[in-house]
């Protein structure tokens, strides 16, 4: 893009980045926040609406108790205080995708506040302070038709789908995060990955970034080294993968560095991340809170969760992420470094699910962290966005363990699964990938290899068993990599002993 960028390392010599992360989690309640409409993803447009979520005059909202329960559980998992009394507020705006023209949200009385989570990256633990987690409703969706990008620019017209209007959201906002230095982009990514795992473990959301059930806006500013005055922040939206959070922040840090170093000023604004181009563009200049004319929602009663209920909900919390990581490290017999790789690749839940599906932990780790992480990187997606399930990875490993395929063929099986050719067994059948271990077929190839390499054969006869590798390689080549290597070795040694 046009932006002047400063070298990342150079920015870090002169400035300290400060992060601020806003994460929206769409709850998986059966019905919406204030009405009984269904919330299923992908339904035909405007089939999940009613007078309440369409904001028709005379309708009254009724609060979804399950959503409050989920909000409290999220708040507790973030080590927050839970309000004993709080209210909703109207956030007034021109919302084409929300006909009421206000969002029912929480403002100065959030259900959860003052929490903290710790995030580990590169072996260092960072404390991320949580400002609040509040309840609100989602807006509908504008579908821009006719443009090349799906954005409003260049579109011929726009359609409105109100299915999402009124779906319960929890917005989790950090306090400014200081002291992450050159790890700032990774800490942000790790924080969101941890949050995702935590919310998934709570069972209150599908947390699928690519479907928008977990969305992150990333704020960042730069502080000159030695200063303690916050710089002006930008807020980058449109981040729908963990990878884009990290990339966008790195970009913004480099861009702001260049602006400040040239004596310029950073404009407080929202920015959009362009994933394909790898740059941010300017959005709207940011409203101040006053502009929204917040006021307490008169149509809803205050929320006053009893301390007994909060205690009951606390008892339902899953194991905290750090403890869980420690437990699994021991159970799986991983080293700290191996577990860090798993965590760093965002693969913990995937490895766990693969182990649950029957794979040995080391194999599950190898496939996700070595093989699949590389492919995710190549295609620019997150690991859990790859079209392969933990059960399928476990099935690939089962084929390896049964000797049906070797490691090399297993990679081709994975290619097939990723290409949508079906389950591993189906891919093996369709692509003819099974290893040949039949003595007859292998014997012919072994004899041919011995004949073609008489000098190697002589060495083996003379007792240099290591030389067998050359013959095994030759057999592998004639059989397109599909020979059972152990069997081939055995046949060679019996023939030449
Ligand atoms: P907005 O309504 O503008 O989105 P929020 O308060 O919801 O504001 O979120 C702003 C986020 O940015 C919070 O996480 C906050 O801690 C963080 N933040 C505020 N000021 C700065 C700053 N100067 N630099 C970096 N982050 C900041
Ligand atoms: Mg905000
Ligand atoms: Zn409705």
């Amino acid at each position: 893009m046009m932006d002047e960028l400063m070298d990342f390392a150079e920015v870090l010599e002169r400035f300290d980045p400060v992060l601020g992360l806003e994460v929206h989690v769409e709850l998986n309640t059966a019905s919406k926040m204030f009405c009984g409409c269904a919330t299923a993803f992908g339904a035909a447009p405007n089939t999940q609406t009613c007078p309440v979520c369409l904001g028709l005059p005379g309708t009254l909202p009724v609060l979804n108790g399950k959503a409050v329960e989920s909000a409290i559980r999220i708040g507790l998992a973030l080590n927050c205080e839970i309000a004993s009394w709080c209210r909703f507020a109207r956030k007034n705006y021109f919302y084409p995708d929300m006909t009421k023209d206000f969002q029912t949200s929480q403002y100065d009385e959030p259900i959860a506040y003052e929490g903290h989570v710790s995030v580990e990256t590169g072996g260092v633990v960072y404390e991320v302070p949580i400002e609040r987690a509040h309840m609100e409703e989602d807006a509908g969706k504008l579908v821009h038709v006719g443009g090349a990008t799906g954005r409003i620019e260049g579109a011929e017209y726009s359609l409105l789908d109100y299915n999402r209007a009124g779906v319960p959201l929890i917005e989790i906002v950090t306090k400014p995060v200081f002291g992450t230095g050159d790890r700032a982009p990774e800490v942000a990514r790790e924080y969101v990955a941890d949050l995702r795992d935590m919310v998934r473990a709570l069972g209150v959301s599908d947390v699928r970034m690519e479907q928008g059930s977990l969305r992150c806006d990333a704020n960042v500013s730069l502080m000159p080294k030695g200063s303690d005055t916050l710089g002006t922040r930008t807020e980058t939206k449109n981040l729908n993968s963990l990878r884009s959070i990290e990339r966008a922040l790195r970009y913004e840090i480099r861009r702001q560095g260049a602006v400040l170093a040239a004596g310029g000023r950073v404009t407080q604004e929202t920015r959009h991340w362009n994933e394909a181009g790898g740059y941010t563009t300017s959005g709207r200049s940011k409203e101040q809170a006053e502009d929204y004319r917040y006021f307490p929602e008169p149509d809803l009663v205050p929320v006053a969760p009893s301390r007994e209920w909060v205690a009951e909900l606390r008892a339902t919390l899953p194991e905290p992420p750090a403890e869980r990581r420690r437990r699994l490290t021991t159970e799986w017999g991983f080293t700290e470094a191996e577990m860090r790789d798993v965590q760093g690749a965002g693969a913990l839940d995937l490895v766990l699910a693969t182990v649950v599906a029957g794979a040995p932990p080391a194999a599950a780790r190898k496939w996700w962290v070595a093989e699949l992480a590389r492919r995710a990187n190549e295609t620019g997606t997150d690991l859990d966005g790859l079209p392969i399930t933990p059960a399928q990875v476990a099935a690939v490993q089962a084929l390896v363990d049964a000797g049906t395929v070797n490691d090399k063929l297993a990679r081709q099986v994975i290619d097939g699964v990723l290409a949508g050719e079906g389950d591993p067994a189906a891919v093996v059948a369709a692509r003819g990938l099974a290893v040949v271990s039949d003595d007859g077929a292998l014997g012919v190839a072994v004899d041919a290899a011995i004949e073609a390499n008489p000098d190697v054969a002589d060495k083996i006869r003379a007792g240099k068993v290591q030389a067998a590798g050359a013959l095994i390689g030759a057999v592998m080549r004639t059989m397109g990599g599909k020979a059972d290597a152990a069997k081939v070795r055995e046949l060679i040694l019996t023939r030449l002993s």
Side-chain angles (χ1 to χ4, degrees), residues 18 20-22 132 173-176 219 221 231 233 235 286:
V18 178
L21 299 161
E22 301 169 64
R132 62 178 195 270
V173 184
T174 69
K175 296 185 180 184
N219 296 264
S221 64
R233 69 186 158 109
E235 176 182 351
K286 194 70 192 185

Side-chain angles (χ1 to χ4, degrees), residues 274-296:
N274 182 311
E275 175 70 35
Y279 55 81
T280 64
T281 52
S282 173
R284 61 183 159 102
S285 69
K286 194 70 192 185
E287 283 72 21
Q288 299 296 314
E290 308 82 88
D291 299 335
Y292 293 118
R293 290 285 181 244
Y294 280 100
F295 65 86

Side-chain angles (χ1 to χ4, degrees), residues 166-335:
V167 168
L169 291 180
I170 305 300
E171 179 173 350
I172 301 161
V173 184
T174 69
K175 296 185 180 184
V177 185
F178 299 93
T180 55
D182 62 348
R183 294 249 175 80
E186 286 154 76
V187 172
R189 177 197 171 117
E190 259 327 288
Y191 164 75
V192 177
D194 272 11
L195 210 59
R196 183 192 60 181
D197 292 352
M198 185 204 87
V199 172
R200 190 187 287 130
L202 287 167
V204 298
S205 168
D206 311 333
V207 283
R208 300 205 67 104
M209 290 194 87
E210 71 287 0
Q211 288 185 0
S213 54
L214 185 140
R215 310 199 279 272
C216 174
D217 301 335
N219 296 264
V220 68
S221 64
L222 296 180
M223 233 165 34
K225 279 223 182 285
S227 154
D228 52 8
T229 322
L230 277 174
T232 304
R233 69 186 158 109
T234 59
E235 176 182 351
T236 304
K237 300 192 168 274
N238 221 17
L239 301 169
N240 50 22
S241 69
L242 295 175
R243 192 167 171 269
S244 40
I245 294 173
E246 186 175 337
R247 289 178 74 206
L249 281 169
R250 186 170 283 270
Y251 182 92
E252 269 305 291
I253 289 170
R254 296 183 59 196
R255 189 188 66 82
Q256 292 183 15
V259 169
L260 295 174
R265 295 168 73 164
V266 173
T267 312
Q268 179 159 345
E269 61 185 355
T270 61
R271 297 186 67 90
H272 292 281
W273 172 241
N274 182 311
E275 175 70 35
Y279 55 81
T280 64
T281 52
S282 173
R284 61 183 159 102
S285 69
K286 194 70 192 185
E287 283 72 21
Q288 299 296 314
E290 308 82 88
D291 299 335
Y292 293 118
R293 290 285 181 244
Y294 280 100
F295 65 86
E297 167 60 60
D299 287 343
L300 286 163
V301 293
V303 180
S306 75
R307 296 301 93 180
E308 293 73 32
W309 189 35
V310 172
E312 267 168 45
L313 293 177
R314 191 186 294 279
T316 70
L317 290 188
E319 190 181 17
E323 258 169 56
R324 175 165 173 263
R325 243 179 342 253
R326 266 196 299 279
R327 175 175 60 80
L328 291 175
T329 307
T330 314
E331 269 177 37
W332 292 343
F334 287 2
T335 64

Side-chain angles (χ1 to χ4, degrees), residues 441-465:
L442 291 181
V444 174
V446 166
D447 290 337
I450 291 174
E451 208 176 305
N453 301 280
D455 45 332
V456 180
D458 284 342
K459 278 188 199 157
I460 300 171
R461 281 197 194 90
K464 287 196 75 182
V465 179

Side-chain angles (χ1 to χ4, degrees), residues 365-381:
R365 173 171 54 81
K366 182 192 76 179
W367 289 122
W368 285 108
V369 176
E371 187 66 17
L372 291 162
R374 182 175 55 75
R375 292 168 192 246
N377 212 18
E378 280 164 12
T379 52
T381 53

